[in-house]
Amino acid sequence: MKRTLNEIFILESDQKFDEAFSLYKILLKSEPLNFEYWKHYFFFLWSMLEDGIGIFSVLKNEELHKELQKELQYGLDNFKNIAEFNLIAGYTISIFPYEFGDYDELKK
């Protein structure tokens, strides 16, 4: 488990984002309610949207937006009682609010 996250972190630092994405999907499929996996994947998606344009090719920009919004909703559905989730979601939304869909609805 931890070893795989470390492998992903190495791939990310080597800018092998497509491979990191694939490993994240495998981890999340094997343990969909693992908050640690979700948290790192969510930040990965967010950073690819903001910094990965042109170097991340698995998802096009529009698909990346949809995946990020889907993961935010997944987090809201499954992790809303975890303080760290609320911190992460609030932080990322506050920096780039319109990346996540209907900002006015999210503010509520």
Side-chain angles (χ1 to χ4, degrees), residues 54-68:
I55 54 176
F56 178 61
S57 62
V58 172
L59 297 177
K60 293 181 173 62
N61 202 30
E62 183 180 310
E63 294 168 326
L64 195 50
H65 276 97
K66 288 179 183 175
E67 183 73 7
L68 185 64

Side-chain angles (χ1 to χ4, degrees):
M1 223 169 18
K2 199 67 158 167
R3 185 177 152 258
T4 306
L5 272 179
N6 287 333
E7 290 172 20
I8 291 172
F9 300 154
I10 291 168
L11 289 170
E12 288 179 11
S13 67
D14 291 341
Q15 295 190 356
K16 296 180 178 178
F17 301 120
D18 296 342
E19 292 95 334
F21 175 80
S22 295
L23 275 179
Y24 274 124
K25 294 304 265 187
I26 291 168
L27 281 181
L28 289 166
K29 186 175 182 177
S30 70
E31 293 184 57
L33 294 176
N34 184 314
F35 177 70
E36 286 298 307
Y37 295 167
W38 178 89
K39 169 179 70 175
H40 290 288
Y41 180 60
F42 185 76
F43 271 125
F44 171 79
L45 291 173
W46 184 62
S47 66
M48 288 301 96
L49 193 58
E50 299 309 320
D51 302 323
I53 304 301
I55 54 176
F56 178 61
S57 62
V58 172
L59 297 177
K60 293 181 173 62
N61 202 30
E62 183 180 310
E63 294 168 326
L64 195 50
H65 276 97
K66 288 179 183 175
E67 183 73 7
L68 185 64
Q69 291 172 8
K70 181 186 96 176
E71 287 303 322
L72 175 62
Q73 188 58 56
Y74 187 82
L76 288 167
D77 292 343
N78 294 287
F79 306 124
K80 67 182 173 197
N81 294 325
I82 298 174
E84 189 176 4
F85 164 78
N86 291 304
L87 175 71
I88 291 166
Y91 173 75
T92 55
I93 291 168
S94 70
I95 292 177
F96 298 107
Y98 295 99
E99 300 288 0
F100 295 91
D102 184 354
Y103 178 64
D104 293 327
E105 183 63 29
L106 288 171
K107 276 196 308 191
K108 294 177 189 173

